[in-house]
Amino acid sequence: MTVTMMPAVAEERRAPRIVGVEFPFGHAFGMPGDRVMQRRVLELALRLLAGAAAFGTRVDLDVEWPAPLREAYRAWQPREPSPIVTKMLEARRAATD
Amino acid sequence: MWAPFAKRLAGSKIALLSSAGLYLESRQPAFDLDRERAEPEWGDPSWRAIPAVTEGSLGVAHLHINDADLLADPEIALPARLLSQLVSEGLVGAAAENHVAVMGYQDRRLVDWRQTTAPAIVSFLRDQQVDGLVLAPA
């Protein structure tokens, strides 16, 4: 049973049961401190785990992230680019110099 | 792989798995971020057992996500306390004594994962007689 911000990828990778959430990365179960939202996600995941009737069952949670997209983006972006992103940016710069 | 869930949720033991890079600050090493900084295509393939009832605080070691909200409330990635609450309410039979944390950025070949990490986690969950697992990629 997978709770994911990328349900289409989970389908491609043939995850057997999928709950899709439109949340920022790092926030699979919702907003910090929001027990109601977290419970909605976990309960849906558990009910799908136990009740899905077929392979590939996917349910997308009908909950909108309660903050503007720009804030949501900031909520998951690391403070500095990851090492692989830094390496790719350096390679791109070198190719264009 | 597909398998029908044979038991009722109220009679089942459930575990959680997060890839948010969580670890017990008091007695577990963080995931190896120094090596990832030196070898950007490598990611630490080890895993951590996270007790359902944690003593002490959880740390976060993951260079690809912002850790501020995770440190403020680890339940957004590994809702262990919430699962225990659902057990006390009778919705779920039991929670695993230990959940599982990994760090989600991995070498794309996944050799260590296939050969070592995944089999070890499966064995760990089977030893706890877990019936179902909720995975939450970070």
Side-chain angles (χ1 to χ4, degrees), chain B residues 43-122:
Chain B
D44 189 338
S46 63
W47 60 282
R48 308 284 182 272
I50 305 294
V53 180
T54 53
E55 67 282 9
S57 58
L58 293 174
V60 177
H62 198 312
L63 295 172
H64 302 255
I65 52 177
N66 190 313
D67 61 10
D69 285 350
L70 286 161
L71 290 168
D73 184 7
E75 294 275 306
I76 66 174
L78 191 88
R81 277 184 291 172
L82 177 55
L83 179 61
S84 296
Q85 182 184 329
L86 297 182
V87 171
S88 68
E89 294 175 11
L91 181 70
V92 176
E97 291 78 11
N98 290 281
H99 302 296
V100 176
V102 300
M103 196 281 291
Y105 177 74
Q106 294 292 309
D107 181 303
R108 64 172 54 189
R109 292 163 295 184
L110 293 174
V111 174
D112 289 320
W113 250 89
R114 291 182 209 280
Q115 294 180 353
T116 305
T117 309
I121 291 173
V122 169

Side-chain angles (χ1 to χ4, degrees), chain A residues 18-60:
Chain A
I18 302 160
V19 167
V21 291
E22 287 187 278
F23 297 166
F25 289 112
H27 300 68
F29 292 91
M31 297 274 282
D34 189 338
R35 298 287 175 254
V36 174
M37 180 187 277
Q38 293 169 9
R39 182 172 178 135
R40 283 187 70 177
V41 180
L42 182 58
E43 277 203 32
L44 177 59
L46 291 168
R47 293 191 190 285
L48 196 62
L49 170 65
F55 175 87
T57 301
R58 168 180 166 182
V59 177
D60 291 344

Side-chain angles (χ1 to χ4, degrees), chain A residues 1-5 10 15-20 45 48 59, chain B residues 133-137:
Chain A
M1 167 68 243
T2 303
V3 178
T4 177
M5 303 82 173
R17 300 170 176 86
I18 302 160
V19 167
L48 196 62
V59 177
Chain B
L133 177 66
V134 178
L135 299 107

